[in-house]
């Protein structure tokens, strides 16, 4: 019914004097604060400085060891031992590679490479390892330290030549790249020529032979990065070898590292044996110098590589990796020159001769140690002797110094130009280290050169071809939320997230972004009464949608904005109840499926089954079967497989709150790694009160430690249903969704199938060989139980379900390890140990409580054990003889008593530490280790560091969580109810922003069997209840 004109006038007048709105607060994407941006810049700067510092120490210590090995050094007379130390320096990266590859081979499925690949890799490794050992151990000790510093950059000659060859191909030509690569080859050749000419001018015996050996060895070493620079070249033989290597990385590196260790040992051992002359066992070793240089070089090299990877993952690749690496060799060269000059100045001051010539200093440098630490003085003395005797400084030969300068500059400039692509490399988010760098680790003798040349030249390597091409394909994402008895505020969270995503990804931009969205809400038990009207929870959902729709439509800042008009919706009667269709403000679709329990099974698992069959079966697969007669079967099958692989389903709860960036991180994970069937993010519990505080710390520790460990050692066992992204082809795989539809008929089925449906779905994926991953940067927020009773009932479901699914995996451990490349037998052993610790946790808690009684109250061991076991026994009796409400009440009382006992124990331990003035007691060490572990982990997550405050609450409630809760869960396994939201009173919807609601002129609700219209005047004034009834109620 329409309003009279005077009422319309009154409404317009009210709008003029009543500008006050009631608008819920909608959290937008959090932008980094100035503090976080400053902290990020500071951390990245520190990482860059550490990369440079560790690389500097690695290179300087190696060159000093080479100098000490030279014949003109008097610091260490046992030259064979020095060569042995040099050989050990070269071998350490290969040992680390062997250990890492062995670890991966144990915990991952590994294939053997083909015979041609094995032969080719062994040949290259023999040449590289032999060239490195001969260059470092035999040739370089005969040259000056300046030439040694820069000559190492000559190993870029073949990579630069390969780049020139690539630029000559029709499809790969780029003028500036061709010029840079050609100039790099030219400069390295200039460096070789000037280095050779300098050797001719040298008076050292046999120097020409060692010069030729050094040049030949640098050419051999430059073969080390053949895979990075030959991938861009055509050649079937190389392509087949590279394809075989991509599938057998772990086994290849195991073999490769062994070959390199053997070859290096043979060269060093053979040369030492040939030149030893009995000095190895007769001359002093000078372990204070040799071992110090060895430890510095090994530790600094490993840390330099580690921080380089961190810089790459932090997306500060240029300023924190490329820039420090490029400056490393010139910095080491400058350091040696500064040391020489500084010692020369101190020499002049010590003999009180400010005009003493350089020749006089060189004559006496062998006996001049200088000031400071003796060992450092001896090493610096060797630097002076080396430069005086082998560079022509003693005779002030300017030509020789110019040649050194030209060769050094040429080598360095050649390296910079050959790796100029590093500055232009762009890595995707969450890129794996294996896709950042070609080889697994680094080369000890060429820390800066090896790290630069190891950066992937081309981001379309064979192992990336599938994932990279997939990342450019269009993907369809279905956001599916299940609802039941959510409150208005909880519904507001999930709908705000959906509307926020619609704003972030408008439908008009789906083709450009190669990504489209469609949201679905499956509402369980939505109808009531004989007439099967929507209940109050479902009505609340419709009103929340209208409220959120209004908020996102009224984003104009002008106070004179016009009232929005909500677009037409349609209601469709379905076999399961009804479906309400919305078009969101930016064009994406939202479907609300109202389930009628008289027509379809209820509970979350069956809601998930319903939308998976609807989306993946009816919408995705059916259209291809309908076109069988109109198209080629092979083409249709390929298109179907492709669409299944690029269709993702985001499982959500009815109270999940997330930002678009969190979803994008999960999408990136599935796009980049085709073997990933599901990915989950970091779940944050929300709410207030001690129970929420406990869960905040529990969730944090579980994600920081347990989920991360599962992700690294194998794969995640449970992707939570409140925020997880599933691949369509994984869900549609054999024995996944079809088996997920199994109806519970046995006791074990109720526990495994219905009490923890998300964990069971992941178990089915793992059994089919799919990988489940965890992304710590993808944050989602969900409401957690705020009351003790609700918490216990929730964990009553989770505990037995976790145990049942883990036992299912362990029972099929051998078959899963064969089928799933991410799960190995050692990982199964790890899960067995974890399961055993969980089963033994109640007994461990009893022993801990017994220790607390003995420690605090000084009770004898037998009495304390009886006191510890007695409450557990009594609680078991209570659980078997009383109702659930009484059981939870008793558990709450015992939890408080246990908390006081744990608090008294902690205070007693601290008091004992103070009185004894020592941490070295068993209880103190345990408490200190636990505190340190949690603190260090929290420091690594600075945005969540405040959660550490809740650690004390978590610690004092350990008996309740690991003893009483386990007893309650095991005794009440016969209770298969959901435990939460079962008797909630629906919350009355929030008031609108104005005293009246304005709806559009006509809303048409179309049913499959009939249609009817509800006509409402645009300016009609209706109450919340009447409007909802007009919109929802179905009359025949």
């Amino acid at each position: 019914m329409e309003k009279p004109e005077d009422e319309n006038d009154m409404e317009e007048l009210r709008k003029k004097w009543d500008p006050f709105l009631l608008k819920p607060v909608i959290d937008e994407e959090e932008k980094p604060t100035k503090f976080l941006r400053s902290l990020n810049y500071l951390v990245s700067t520190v990482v860059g400085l550490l990369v440079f510092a560790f690389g500097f120490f690695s290179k300087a210590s190696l060159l000093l060891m080479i100098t000490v090995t030279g014949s003109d050094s008097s610091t260490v007379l046992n030259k064979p031992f020095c060569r042995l130390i040099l050989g050990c320096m070269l071998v350490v990266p290969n040992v680390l590679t062997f250990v890492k590859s062995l670890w991966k081979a144990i915990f991952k499925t590994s294939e053997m490479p083909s015979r041609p690949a094995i032969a080719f890799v062994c040949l290259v490794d023999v040449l590289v390892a032999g060239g490195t050992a001969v260059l470092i151990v035999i040739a370089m000790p005969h040259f000056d330290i300046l030439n040694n510093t820069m000559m190492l950059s000559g190993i870029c000659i073949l990579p630069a030549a390969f780049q020139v060859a690539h630029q000559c191909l029709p499809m790969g030509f780029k003028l500036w790249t061709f010029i840079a690569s050609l100039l790099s080859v030219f400069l390295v050749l200039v460096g070789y020529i000037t280095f050779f000419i300098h050797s001719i001018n040298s008076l050292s015996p046999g120097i020409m032979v060692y010069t030729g050996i050094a040049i030949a060895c640098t050419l051999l070493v430059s073969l080390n990065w053949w895979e990075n620079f030959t991938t861009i070249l055509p050649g079937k033989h190389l392509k087949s070898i590279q394809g075989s290597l991509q599938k057998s990385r772990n086994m290849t590196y195991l073999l490769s590292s062994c070959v390199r260790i053997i070859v290096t040992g043979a060269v060093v051992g053979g040369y030492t044996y040939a030149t030893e002359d009995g000095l190895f066992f007769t001359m002093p070793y000078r372990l204070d110098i040799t071992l110090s240089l060895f430890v510095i070089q090994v530790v600094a090299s490993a840390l330099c590589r580690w921080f380089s990877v961190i810089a790459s993952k932090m997306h500060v690749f240029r300023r924190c990796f490329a820039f420090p690496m490029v400056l490393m060799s010139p910095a080491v060269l400058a350091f040696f020159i500064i040391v020489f000059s500084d010692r020369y100045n101190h020499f002049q001051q010590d003999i009180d001769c400010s005009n003493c010539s350089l020749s006089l200093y060189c004559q006496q440098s062998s006996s001049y140690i200088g000031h400071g630490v003796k060992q450092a003085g001896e090493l610096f003395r060797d630097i002076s002797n080396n430069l005086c005797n082998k560079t022509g400084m003693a005779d002030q030969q300017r030509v020789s110094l110019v040649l050194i300068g030209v060769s050094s500059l040429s080598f360095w400039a050649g390296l910079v130009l050959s790796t100029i692509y590093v500055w232009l490399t762009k890595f995707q988010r969450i890129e794996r280290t294996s896709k950042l760098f070609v080889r697994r680790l680094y080369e000890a003798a060429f820390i800066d050169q090896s790290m630069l040349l190891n950066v992937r030249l081309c981001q379309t390597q064979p192992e990336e071809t599938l994932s990279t091409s997939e990342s450019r394909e269009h993907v369809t994402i279905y956001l599916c939320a299940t609802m039941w008895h959510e409150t208005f505020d909880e519904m507001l969270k999930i709908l705000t997230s959906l509307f926020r995503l619609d704003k972030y990804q408008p439908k008009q931009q789906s083709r450009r972004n190669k990504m489209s969205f469609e949201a679905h809400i499956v509402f369980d038990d939505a109808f009531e009464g004989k007439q099967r009207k929507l209940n109050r929870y479902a009505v609340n959902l419709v009103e929340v949608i209208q409220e959120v729709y209004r908020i996102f439509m009224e984003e104009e800042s002008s106070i004179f904005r016009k009232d929005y008009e909500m677009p037409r919706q349609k209601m469709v009667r379905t076999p399961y109840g009804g479906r309400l269709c919305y078009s969101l403000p930016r064009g994406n679709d939202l479907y609300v499926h109202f389930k009628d329990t008289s027509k379809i099974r209820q509970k979350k698992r069956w809601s998930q089954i319903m939308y998976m069959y609807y989306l993946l079966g009816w919408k995705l697969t059916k259209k291809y079967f309908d076109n069988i007669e109109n198209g080629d079967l092979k083409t249709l099958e390929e298109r179907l497989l492709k669409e299944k692989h690029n269709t993702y389903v985001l499982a959500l709860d009815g109270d999940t709150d997330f930002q678009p960036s969190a979803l994008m991180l999960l999408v990136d994970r599935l796009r980049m790694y085709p073997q990933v069937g599901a990915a989950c993010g970091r779940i944050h519990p929300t709410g207030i009160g001690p129970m929420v505080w406990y869960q905040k710390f529990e969730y944090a520790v579980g994600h920081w430690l347990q989920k991360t460990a599962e992700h690294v050692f194998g794969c995640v066992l449970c992707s939570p249903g409140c925020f997880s992204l599933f691949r369509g082809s994984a869900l549609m795989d054999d024995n996944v969704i079809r088996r997920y539809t199994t109806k519970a008929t046995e006791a074990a089925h109720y526990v495994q199938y219905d009490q923890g449906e998300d964990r069971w779905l992941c178990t089915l994926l793992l059994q089919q060989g799919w990988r489940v991953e965890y992304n710590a940067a993808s944050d989602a927020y969900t409401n957690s139980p705020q009351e003790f009773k609700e918490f216990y009932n929730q964990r009553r479901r989770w505990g037995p379900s976790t145990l049942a699914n883990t036992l299912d995996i362990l029972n099929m451990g051998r078959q899963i390890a064969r089928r799933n490349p991410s799960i190995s037998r050692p990982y199964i052993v790890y899960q067995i140990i974890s399961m055993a610790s969980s089963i033994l946790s109640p007994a461990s808690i009893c022993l801990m409580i017994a220790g607390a009684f003995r420690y605090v109250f000084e009770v004898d061991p037998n009495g304390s054990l009886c006191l510890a076991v007695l409450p557990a026994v009594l609680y078991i009796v209570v659980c078997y003889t009383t109702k659930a409400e009484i059981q939870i009440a008793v558990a709450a009382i015992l939890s408080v008593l246990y908390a006081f006992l744990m608090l008294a124990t902690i205070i007693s331990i601290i008091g004992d530490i103070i009185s004894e003035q020592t941490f070295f007691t068993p209880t103190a060490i345990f408490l200190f280790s636990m505190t340190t572990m949690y603190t260090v982990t929290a420091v690594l997550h600075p945005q969540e560091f405040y959660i550490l405050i809740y650690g004390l609450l978590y610690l004092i409630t350990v008996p309740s969580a690991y003893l009483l809760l386990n007893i309650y869960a095991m005794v009440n396994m016969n209770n298969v109810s959901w435990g939460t939201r079962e008797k909630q009173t629906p919350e009355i919807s929030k008031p609108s922003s104005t005293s009246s609601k304005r709806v559009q002129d006509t809303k048409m609700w179309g049913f499959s069997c009939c249609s009817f219209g509800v006509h409402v005047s645009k300016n009609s004034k209706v109450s919340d209840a009447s409007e909802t009834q007009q919109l929802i109620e179905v009359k025949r």
Side-chain angles (χ1 to χ4, degrees):
M1 177 178 276
E2 296 185 1
K3 290 184 181 180
E5 291 187 6
D6 55 346
E7 291 190 12
N8 291 336
D9 295 338
M10 290 294 295
E11 188 65 29
E12 292 296 327
L13 179 62
R14 182 183 181 87
K15 288 173 56 179
K16 296 179 181 179
W17 62 263
D18 186 10
F20 310 105
L21 302 177
L22 181 62
K23 185 175 181 180
V25 178
I26 304 299
D27 294 330
E28 295 295 336
E29 187 81 51
E30 291 186 5
K31 296 181 179 180
T33 62
K34 291 183 178 179
F35 173 75
L36 287 179
R37 288 198 298 268
S38 302
L39 182 62
N40 183 24
Y41 185 81
L42 176 63
V43 170
S44 61
T45 303
V46 170
V47 169
L49 291 175
L50 289 175
V51 169
F52 177 79
F54 287 124
F56 176 88
F57 284 117
S58 170
K59 200 171 191 67
S61 58
L62 175 75
L63 292 168
L64 286 173
M65 194 67 220
I66 294 174
T67 303
V68 168
T69 309
S71 57
D72 57 342
S73 171
S74 58
T75 301
V76 182
L77 300 179
N78 194 334
K79 304 304 178 183
F81 183 72
C82 293
R83 298 189 192 102
L84 179 63
I85 295 297
L86 274 177
C88 292
M89 287 181 178
L90 300 180
V91 162
V92 166
N94 299 315
V95 174
L96 296 177
T97 301
F98 179 84
V99 173
K100 185 174 183 178
S101 302
L102 182 62
W103 177 271
K104 287 182 174 290
I106 292 174
F107 282 94
K108 305 289 182 182
T109 302
S110 302
E111 300 180 8
M112 287 296 297
S114 62
R115 291 184 178 180
I118 292 176
F120 184 82
V121 168
C122 289
L123 176 61
V124 172
D125 286 333
V126 167
L127 295 176
V128 172
T132 303
V134 172
L135 175 66
I136 301 299
V137 179
I138 299 176
M140 288 181 65
H142 295 84
F143 305 126
D144 63 273
I145 198 170
L146 299 184
N147 269 321
N148 285 341
T149 303
M150 305 307 295
M151 179 178 58
L152 297 177
S153 299
I155 62 174
C156 68
I157 179 68
L158 284 185
F162 286 137
Q163 293 183 66
V164 173
H166 171 64
Q167 297 302 319
C168 294
L169 298 176
M171 299 299 294
F173 182 78
K174 291 182 180 179
L175 181 60
W176 68 270
T177 307
F178 176 76
I179 294 175
S181 303
L182 191 62
L183 191 58
S184 173
V185 175
F186 172 75
L187 289 172
V188 174
L189 292 176
V190 170
Y192 282 143
I193 294 171
T194 52
F195 174 61
F196 188 79
I197 295 174
H198 175 263
S199 300
I200 294 176
N201 295 333
S202 177
L203 301 178
S204 301
I207 193 64
M208 297 298 298
V209 176
Y210 291 111
T211 301
I213 291 175
I215 293 175
C217 288
T218 55
L219 291 173
L220 293 178
V221 174
S222 62
L223 289 170
N224 190 43
W225 300 275
W226 67 271
E227 187 179 357
N228 193 20
F229 298 95
T230 57
T231 306
I232 56 182
L233 301 177
K236 294 183 179 179
H237 182 65
L238 284 176
K239 296 292 185 184
S240 63
I241 291 177
Q242 290 166 354
S244 176
L245 295 181
Q246 300 300 340
K247 301 175 182 178
S248 56
R249 281 292 181 193
N250 298 326
M251 304 307 297
T252 301
Y253 279 119
L254 280 174
L255 179 63
S256 172
S257 56
C258 291
V259 170
R260 293 195 176 206
I261 292 172
I262 293 172
V263 172
T264 303
V267 171
V268 175
Y271 183 72
T272 301
Y273 178 78
T275 59
E276 191 260 332
D277 296 332
L279 297 177
F280 188 84
F281 297 101
T282 58
M283 301 301 293
Y285 299 119
R286 291 301 306 272
L287 298 180
D288 56 338
I289 291 179
T290 54
L291 289 185
S292 297
L293 291 176
F294 173 77
V295 172
I296 292 173
Q297 203 280 333
V298 169
V299 174
S301 299
L303 290 176
C304 178
R305 194 262 178 188
W306 189 65
F307 279 106
S308 298
V309 173
I310 290 178
S312 305
K313 296 296 183 70
M314 293 175 62
H315 288 264
V316 285
F317 193 74
R318 295 179 182 85
R319 73 171 186 267
C320 296
F321 171 78
F323 188 66
M325 288 296 174
V326 166
L327 293 182
M328 203 168 291
S329 291
V332 174
L333 182 71
F335 168 73
F336 292 141
I337 295 175
I338 291 172
V339 167
F340 181 84
S341 301
D342 184 67
R343 286 178 58 82
Y344 177 49
N345 293 331
H346 280 88
F347 174 77
Q348 290 178 329
Q349 295 175 6
D350 290 343
I351 65 174
D352 196 17
C353 178
S354 59
N355 296 323
C356 291
S357 64
L358 191 60
S359 302
L360 177 62
Y361 170 67
C362 287
Q363 292 174 4
Q364 301 184 19
S365 62
S366 59
S367 59
Y368 179 71
I369 296 180
H371 307 280
V373 180
K374 179 182 177 182
Q375 288 81 359
E378 291 176 328
L379 291 175
F380 294 158
R381 178 188 61 188
D382 284 348
I383 295 176
S384 300
N385 290 341
N386 182 277
L387 294 178
C388 288
N389 298 333
K390 297 180 179 179
T391 61
M393 285 188 178
D395 301 327
Q396 298 182 357
Q397 299 177 7
R398 294 185 178 180
V399 175
S400 179
L401 296 176
V402 169
L403 290 174
I404 292 175
V406 172
S407 65
S408 300
L409 182 61
S410 299
F411 282 131
W412 179 74
L415 175 67
V416 173
L417 291 175
S418 67
T419 57
I420 197 170
Y421 70 92
V422 173
W423 296 85
L424 306 175
T425 301
K426 293 182 179 180
F427 296 116
Q428 300 184 39
R429 294 184 300 186
I430 61 175
E431 197 76 88
R432 287 181 174 171
T433 305
S434 60
K435 296 185 179 181
L436 296 174
F437 302 101
V438 178
R439 296 192 60 82
R440 186 149 284 178
L441 287 179
Y442 59 93
E443 300 298 323
F446 319 95
I447 184 64
D448 51 340
Q449 295 89 354
S450 65
M451 292 301 297
L452 287 171
L453 294 171
N454 204 24
V455 178
R456 285 199 182 274
L457 173 64
C458 184
Q459 291 302 303
T460 57
Q461 300 283 349
E463 70 175 342
E464 284 84 35
T465 302
L466 179 60
S467 61
T468 305
S469 61
E470 182 187 343
S471 65
R472 293 192 295 266
E473 294 175 353
H474 188 278
V475 298
T476 302
I477 305 173
Y478 294 110
L479 297 94
C480 302
T482 55
M483 284 190 178
W484 184 28
H485 286 174
E486 280 74 15
T487 64
F488 187 95
D489 290 333
E490 291 171 340
M491 295 176 182
L492 187 64
K493 287 184 178 181
I494 183 63
L495 286 166
T496 299
S497 299
L498 298 179
F499 275 75
R500 190 190 293 126
L501 184 61
D502 172 68
K503 178 182 176 182
Y504 172 82
Q505 177 66 43
K507 190 173 185 179
Q508 295 79 3
Q509 299 181 8
S510 60
R511 179 172 297 182
R512 185 184 67 181
N513 297 336
K514 299 195 175 187
M515 191 181 303
S516 58
F517 297 93
E518 189 175 290
H520 293 262
I521 296 176
V522 181
F523 203 101
D524 218 343
D525 192 17
F527 295 89
E528 64 182 1
K530 295 181 180 180
Q531 298 181 355
R532 308 310 292 165
K533 296 182 180 179
L534 290 183
N535 59 28
R536 187 59 190 171
Y537 293 103
V539 172
N540 267 354
L541 175 60
V542 176
E543 295 178 352
V544 172
I545 293 175
Q546 293 176 338
E547 187 73 13
V548 177
Y549 202 107
R550 178 188 59 79
I551 293 171
F552 278 84
M553 288 296 293
E554 296 179 351
E555 290 185 338
E556 302 178 21
S557 58
S558 174
I559 62 174
F560 304 109
R561 60 180 178 270
K562 296 181 179 180
D563 291 342
Y564 82 98
E565 291 186 1
M566 193 169 182
R568 295 179 55 168
Q569 310 94 35
K570 62 178 181 178
M571 183 79 169
V572 179
R573 177 174 294 171
T574 61
Y576 55 81
R579 182 171 69 243
L580 184 60
C581 309
Y582 287 91
S583 179
L584 300 182
R586 300 300 189 276
N588 293 296
D589 296 324
L590 169 63
Y591 299 92
V592 182
H593 305 269
F594 294 110
K595 291 173 58 179
D596 190 343
T597 54
S598 63
K599 299 178 179 180
I600 191 171
R601 293 192 183 102
Q602 61 176 337
K603 288 195 175 182
K604 184 177 179 179
R605 178 163 71 97
W606 296 106
S607 295
Q608 291 178 333
I609 291 170
M610 190 189 84
Y611 69 65
M612 287 178 184
Y613 265 86
Y614 172 66
L615 298 175
L616 302 179
W618 180 265
K619 293 192 66 174
L620 193 154
T621 309
K622 181 178 179 295
K623 60 186 178 183
Y624 289 96
F625 280 91
D626 292 340
N627 293 327
I628 288 179
E629 299 179 357
N630 302 327
D632 179 52
L633 293 181
K634 185 176 181 181
T635 303
L636 285 176
E637 185 177 358
E638 291 177 353
R639 289 173 55 193
L640 174 60
L641 293 176
K642 182 178 178 181
E643 186 171 356
K644 285 164 57 178
H645 202 70
N646 293 324
T647 299
Y648 306 150
V649 176
L650 181 67
L652 298 166
D653 278 352
D655 58 357
T656 304
D657 184 15
F658 65 94
Q659 296 289 344
S661 60
L663 174 59
M664 292 301 103
L665 289 172
L666 300 184
V667 171
D668 289 343
R669 181 75 64 176
L670 266 64
R671 269 184 158 180
M672 293 175 64
Y673 309 120
Q675 73 279 12
V676 176
C680 61
R682 166 73 164 93
I683 308 302
H684 300 264
T686 59
I688 57 175
M691 290 309 307
V692 177
W693 301 340
Y694 170 86
Q695 291 172 88
K696 282 180 179 290
F697 188 83
E698 181 194 31
Y699 274 63
V701 171
H703 285 86
W704 292 347
L705 301 177
Q706 183 179 358
K707 253 189 173 48
T708 304
E710 291 180 347
H711 176 85
V712 173
F713 295 146
C715 61
V716 176
L717 298 186
C718 178
S719 188
C722 61
F723 187 70
S724 293
L725 189 67
F726 295 89
R727 190 185 299 275
S729 56
L731 295 172
M732 300 172 72
D733 202 354
D734 297 337
N735 301 320
V736 180
I737 289 300
R738 188 64 177 178
R739 193 174 169 203
Y740 193 59
T741 61
T742 305
K743 185 178 179 181
T745 57
E746 300 177 6
H749 293 173
Y750 285 100
V751 174
Q752 183 177 6
Y753 297 174
D754 292 325
Q755 300 297 291
E757 69 293 327
D758 47 5
R759 186 173 285 272
W760 186 42
L761 181 58
C762 291
T763 300
L764 297 176
L765 292 175
L766 296 176
Q767 291 173 349
Q768 287 302 114
W770 292 95
R771 176 171 174 80
V772 181
E773 290 199 346
Y774 165 61
N775 192 314
S778 178
D779 296 307
Y781 301 84
T782 183
N783 282 10
S784 59
Q786 301 185 48
E787 297 179 0
F788 188 83
K789 176 182 177 181
E790 189 179 7
F791 173 78
Y792 256 53
N793 282 327
Q794 181 194 67
R795 301 310 169 93
R796 169 182 53 77
R797 292 188 293 110
W798 288 7
S801 171
T802 301
L803 182 64
N805 281 280
T806 306
L807 289 176
D808 190 9
I809 291 176
L810 298 181
N811 186 43
M812 300 180 62
R814 182 175 299 178
Q815 295 88 336
I816 295 176
R818 283 200 300 263
R819 169 170 264 182
N820 196 320
S822 297
I823 295 181
S824 60
R825 293 187 180 182
Y827 182 68
I828 296 296
V829 173
Y830 163 76
Q831 290 297 334
I832 292 174
I833 296 173
S834 177
M835 174 62 62
S837 62
S838 299
I839 294 174
L840 295 175
S841 60
S844 303
I845 295 300
C846 287
L847 292 176
M848 184 185 71
I849 295 171
F853 278 121
R854 185 180 179 187
Y855 194 85
V856 177
F857 302 106
E858 298 182 354
V859 182
D860 63 276
N862 294 330
S864 61
L865 185 60
C866 293
L867 288 175
V869 174
L870 182 61
V873 173
L874 293 177
Y875 186 63
I876 293 175
V877 174
V878 169
C879 290
Y880 273 111
T881 57
T882 61
K883 296 182 179 180
E885 290 78 5
I886 299 177
Q887 299 172 28
I888 293 177
V890 173
I893 296 172
L894 290 177
S895 298
V896 174
L897 297 178
Y898 277 135
F900 280 113
L901 177 62
M902 293 294 295
L903 192 60
T905 304
I906 294 173
I907 295 174
S908 300
I909 293 174
I910 296 174
D912 186 59
I913 293 173
I914 296 174
S915 62
E916 297 292 336
Q917 296 184 353
T918 179
F919 282 96
F920 298 101
T921 62
T923 53
I925 292 175
F926 172 77
L927 183 63
F928 181 75
S929 61
M930 293 292 293
T931 305
T932 303
M933 180 181 68
Y934 291 141
T935 303
V936 171
T937 311
V939 168
L940 297 176
H941 301 79
Q943 289 182 304
E944 301 180 72
F945 186 81
Y946 71 94
I947 294 180
L948 201 62
I949 300 173
Y950 308 136
L952 179 61
L953 178 63
Y954 178 85
L955 192 61
I956 65 177
T957 54
V958 162
S960 176
Y962 290 91
L963 177 61
L964 302 179
L965 182 56
N966 282 334
I967 295 173
Y968 176 75
M970 294 303 165
V971 173
N972 291 276
M973 277 198 296
N974 61 307
N975 185 357
V976 295
S977 63
W978 201 247
T980 55
R981 294 198 178 103
E982 290 189 323
K983 293 183 179 180
Q984 275 190 329
T985 302
E987 184 177 301
I988 302 301
S989 61
K990 306 293 182 184
S992 179
S993 58
T994 59
S995 59
S996 63
K997 292 198 174 212
R998 304 171 180 85
V999 294
Q1000 62 185 40
D1001 292 321
T1002 303
K1003 298 186 184 292
M1004 184 65 65
W1005 306 78
F1007 281 76
S1008 57
C1009 58
C1010 61
S1011 62
F1012 68 94
V1014 178
H1015 181 79
V1016 183
S1017 173
K1018 179 176 180 180
N1019 296 318
S1020 62
K1021 184 176 181 180
V1022 291
S1023 65
D1024 290 347
S1026 62
E1027 177 182 322
T1028 303
Q1029 186 176 10
Q1030 286 177 326
L1031 291 175
I1032 303 301
E1033 184 177 357
V1034 178
K1035 296 181 179 179
R1036 291 183 179 270

